[in-house]
Structure formats: C-alpha cells, structure tokens
Amino acid sequence: MGSESSSSTYPRFISKVPYLPDATERQTLDICFPRPLSESPPSATVWIIFIHGGAWRDPLQDSSELLPALRALLGQPVALTRIAALASLNYRLSPYPSHPTHPSTPADPSRSACHPDHLSDVLAALRYLSRTYNVGDGGGGGGGGGGGGYRYVLVGHSCGATLAMQVVASEGGRHMLDGSGLRWPAAPPEEHASLPSAVVGLEGIYELRLFARTHASVPVYGDILRGAFGGDERALVNASPGGANVAPGAYTVEVWGEGKLVVLGHSAEDTLVEEEQMDDMFGRLRGEGWAEDEGSGNIGPRRERTVRRIWMKGSHDDVWMDGVQLAGVIEKVVDELIC
C-alpha cells in the first residue's frame, strides 16, 4: 500500500507493519491515514479494516488487494471525511507447493498455516490496532465497545469474508464448544479482539462442507480445503461461520452488541463460489434476529441490526480489482453507520 510518508503530507501510507513481536513476512499490515488521526474524532469517523482473499494460500494475493478501492476512495473527499484510516491485513498462508511461479516449502513458516492459524493472525492484527490506535473499545477487550475507541468496519473478500465472520463467531461466541473443547483460538479475556460495528463479506465462503460437496468433482478445491483445514470433514464443519457448529446466539445482540450491519455481496458471474454461500450466512443471521434489508438504497443512521444481500458485477476477483464496486460499498456502509 506504499511506503511510509517521508513528510507530514497526507494521505499518509505506512506499509508492512508487523503486528506481532516475532512476525513473519505475512504477519504484517498496511495503513492509509487520509489526515492526521488527531483530526478524526472517534465519534464522527470509523476505521476500515480489509482482509484479502486467495483461497487461504495464493502468494500473489495480499494486502495490496485493497489498493484499487483505496485509489477510488481517495478521489472522493466527502467519503474520506468519515474514514479515520484504512488498514489492510496480511496473514500466514496455507501450503501451495504446486504454485507455478511461487511454490511453498515446508521450511517457510509464513506459508505453512492450517486453521485456525489464519484466524489467529487476523485476531492478532485487530489487537495490535486496538492497542496502537484505539480501534475498537480501546483496550483490546471485546464485548461492549464502551472504551471510547474507534468503531470499525471489517471487510473481506472470498476467504477474507470467511475470516471476517469467523472473527465475530470466535470472539463474540466464545462459548462455542465441542467434545474436545474450544474450536477456535482461545485467549485470556483481556486479550480478546474488539468486534466490528459492521461486516462486509464479498464472494464469501461460509459453509465449508457445502463448498466441498458442491465442488467435489474439481480436484483443486479438495487441495485448497485440505491445505487450509486438514483432511477431516469435521474440521470443515467446525470452521464454518455460517454452519450449525457455531453455538446458538453467537450473532445475537447479547453477544455481538456492537454489530449494526452485515452486507453480503455476490456476483452472478462468479464461477468460483456459489450463491448458496451468501444465502447460508444470510439465513443464519436472520435466524438470530437480524432484520432483513434487500438493499433499498435508503441511507440513514444505522440503529437496527440489519443484514443485506447485494449484487456485484463481474468475475470472482473483479469485485475488488475494479476498485469502484468495493469503494462504493464501503462508502455506503460508512454513511449508514455515522450519518
């Protein structure tokens, strides 16, 4: 997302910031500040935090995936007045030894991840932003947002959308258990990440077992899922943020009190991820009390917890590559949160 500005001019870009003391090259994030943070009051601005896609393993997809939308937003001064900063996260990838130009090796810790490693990294990045920039409740402790910190919108594309909803399910639904204990990363209460005010998931994958069955005849999908989650079907069930594995109540107001809006986007031209994935997550949220909004276009203060399905254009990656579509969704969500 560029390199750190050498002067006080804005917008200011900071790239490859490690969010862990012993970070690998993938445990970094990029930040763009439209103006000095001191001029962006938490009461009137929000952070945008982006999680890239790439099937949990593609080395050519990283935090730079936000760049096209960032360029579009930087050309809209009015939209930027409500955005305090934009951060784009990297995270460790799963093995991809057959990649044609950048094959992974077992010796590379940044490309040997298996669930819940990807999610652990995203949560570590969110805790870093909370400690460093007061994003969330200001103290890194999820659940109330009462610390006067910045609200944030968590945006994900493809498996990044999966990770965005896993953040909510794992941090909000910390009571999720199976016979062997906690399914997803556990941390002391003081280290939990704050939850977002809104989630935007584009071309997301929310029910992994359905995803595996739908694409069972295409070997590459099996390779992707085995690399990211192991070979056990139960692992797919346990990791699905839209599935029955998530304990009842994980997305309710009692657990995710900060949540105001979820936008689930899909393109009919996407040949990699099926529409049923969006429908699955939509149904889960509706079942937990979220109001249905099919995108009427009305903009106003977002007081009601609403889930909305929207239709994108183009192929699986077009929705972020053209920049304009993603920027438009971000702009509208920000307007609704703080209008």
Side-chain angles (χ1 to χ4, degrees):
M1 197 181 283
S3 58
E4 185 171 356
S5 172
S6 59
S7 69
S8 60
T9 58
Y10 286 83
R12 186 182 185 194
F13 304 92
I14 307 176
S15 65
K16 297 192 180 303
V17 178
Y19 51 76
L20 287 170
D22 55 349
T24 70
E25 63 179 293
R26 285 278 173 171
Q27 291 169 313
T28 62
L29 54 84
D30 302 335
I31 309 175
C32 172
F33 294 99
R35 70 195 69 81
L37 197 57
S38 60
E39 297 178 11
S40 298
S43 61
T45 59
V46 300
W47 276 63
I48 304 299
I49 302 177
F50 181 77
I51 311 173
H52 70 81
W56 297 275
R57 67 175 191 169
D58 189 343
L60 301 183
Q61 289 188 240
D62 57 20
S63 56
S64 64
E65 200 173 290
L66 182 61
L67 275 175
L70 177 58
R71 294 189 186 103
L73 287 167
L74 289 175
Q76 302 178 45
V78 174
L80 286 180
T81 62
R82 293 171 176 167
I83 296 176
L86 303 97
S88 190
L89 312 183
N90 292 306
Y91 49 89
R92 286 170 294 167
L93 301 179
S94 295
Y96 195 173
S98 62
H99 190 277
T101 60
H102 295 72
S104 63
T105 67
D108 186 351
S110 70
R111 297 183 63 190
S112 301
C114 186
H115 176 80
D117 293 342
H118 324 91
L119 176 58
S120 295
D121 285 355
V122 170
L123 294 173
L126 293 175
R127 290 193 291 269
Y128 171 84
L129 291 171
S130 177
R131 293 191 306 270
T132 309
Y133 297 109
N134 204 25
V135 179
D137 67 5
Y150 288 94
R151 291 166 290 173
Y152 73 94
V153 180
L154 195 55
V155 183
H157 171 256
S158 192
C159 70
T162 314
L163 285 161
M165 291 309 301
Q166 284 177 331
V167 165
V168 176
S170 63
E171 291 297 277
R174 292 192 284 267
H175 54 296
M176 293 188 307
L177 301 172
D178 63 13
S180 61
L182 282 171
R183 292 173 173 151
W184 292 347
E190 67 274 12
E191 294 182 11
H192 283 294
S194 300
L195 297 178
S197 295
V199 170
V200 176
L202 304 179
E203 315 301 319
I205 307 161
Y206 309 107
E207 180 33 272
L208 294 162
R209 186 167 54 174
L210 170 64
F211 189 66
R213 291 175 176 174
T214 301
H215 303 281
S217 62
V218 184
V220 67
Y221 282 85
D223 293 342
I224 290 169
L225 292 173
R226 280 189 296 272
F229 300 96
D232 189 344
E233 185 176 271
R234 178 169 174 168
L236 301 182
V237 175
N238 287 349
S240 297
N245 67 300
V246 177
Y251 301 116
T252 59
V253 65
E254 291 80 11
V255 176
W256 186 14
E258 303 92 334
K260 301 299 181 185
L261 177 64
V262 175
V263 176
L264 303 171
H266 188 79
S267 170
E269 300 167 74
D270 186 348
T271 59
L272 301 181
V273 175
E274 60 280 2
E275 179 186 339
E276 287 78 7
Q277 292 293 329
M278 175 178 67
D279 294 341
D280 177 87
M281 195 69 240
F282 181 83
R284 176 63 197 253
L285 291 169
R286 288 286 291 124
E288 297 216 345
W290 287 69
E292 179 176 0
D293 180 350
E294 290 291 357
S296 63
N298 296 326
I299 295 178
R302 178 55 53 187
R303 298 186 180 92
E304 187 177 29
R305 292 161 59 81
T306 301
V307 56
R308 174 183 305 157
R309 287 179 287 198
I310 61 172
W311 292 100
M312 313 298 288
K313 296 180 180 179
S315 67
H316 184 73
D317 287 325
D318 283 345
V319 301
W320 67 265
M321 289 182 70
D322 75 1
V324 176
Q325 290 189 82
L326 177 53
V329 175
I330 290 172
E331 181 180 6
K332 186 169 183 179
V333 169
V334 170
D335 282 345
E336 293 194 40
L337 285 178
I338 60 178
C339 180

